[in-house]
Structures are given as C-alpha cells and as structure tokens.
Amino acid sequence: MDGTAATTNTAAEAAEATTEAAPAASPAAAAAARTLDAVRRLDPGIQAFVPEPDRPGRLAREAAGLDERFGAAPGDGPALYGVAVGVKDIVRVDGLDTRAGSAL
C-alpha cells in the first residue's frame, strides 16, 4: 500500500468527522451560504450583482437577525423565510450604490 491511499483515506475520514461534529446551520444561515456560493460561482460570467465589499459578512448578519427574529429551527419563519432576493441597482437600497445604468 502506498502512502497516497492512506493519506487520502485519512483526509476523507477527517473531513467526514469534521462535518459530523459541526453544528447544523440554521435555515437562514444555510440559505445565506447557498446564496453566497451561487454568487461566487455564477456572477463572474453574468455580472448580475453589484460588487459589495463585505457580502459574506452582511449575509451572515442578516441570517443572524432572521434567526433572532423568527427562531433558528426549520419551519419557524414565514413562508419565504431565507429566500434570497436580488434588487436591481436602479432601486435605492441602504448600504448599496444606486447606479441606474451609469458607468460609476
């Protein structure tokens, strides 16, 4: 048996143990993580989202606020709890630039 197979198995077992030991994310935190992942993977090709300096931090804060307001258990929130919404940059949103098609 070569060292590669042993190393691979050990790494896989460690990853599995870490996943099992990690606490389950709340529905809002899980939705925020999925949204951030989708933006990171897809947006470079379509450029649908305005660059935001601290998008991961903002999403985490918003998720924590939803958990505090509605509870962190699945099914505790309203029907659209945790659903990501994109707002066109012609609409004013606190903390984001309103560009209205300008090159700014």
Side-chain angles (χ1 to χ4, degrees), residues 4 20 22 24 26 34 37 44 51 54 56 63 75 94 98-99:
T4 306
E20 290 174 5
S26 70
R34 286 190 307 273
D37 178 59
D54 186 28
D94 286 344
T98 303
R99 296 181 178 193

Side-chain angles (χ1 to χ4, degrees), residues 24-36 59-67 71-72 81-82:
S26 70
R34 286 190 307 273
T35 298
L36 186 58
L59 288 174
R61 288 187 299 277
E62 293 289 334
L66 286 171
D67 289 342
Y81 177 73

Side-chain angles (χ1 to χ4, degrees), residues 48-101:
F49 290 90
V50 174
E52 185 179 351
D54 186 28
R55 182 173 282 130
R58 183 183 61 78
L59 288 174
R61 288 187 299 277
E62 293 289 334
L66 286 171
D67 289 342
E68 186 176 307
R69 182 173 177 191
F70 296 112
D76 281 351
L80 296 177
Y81 177 73
V83 174
V85 175
V87 178
K88 181 73 177 136
D89 64 353
I90 61 170
V91 177
R92 186 188 171 301
V93 175
D94 286 344
L96 298 176
D97 293 332
T98 303
R99 296 181 178 193

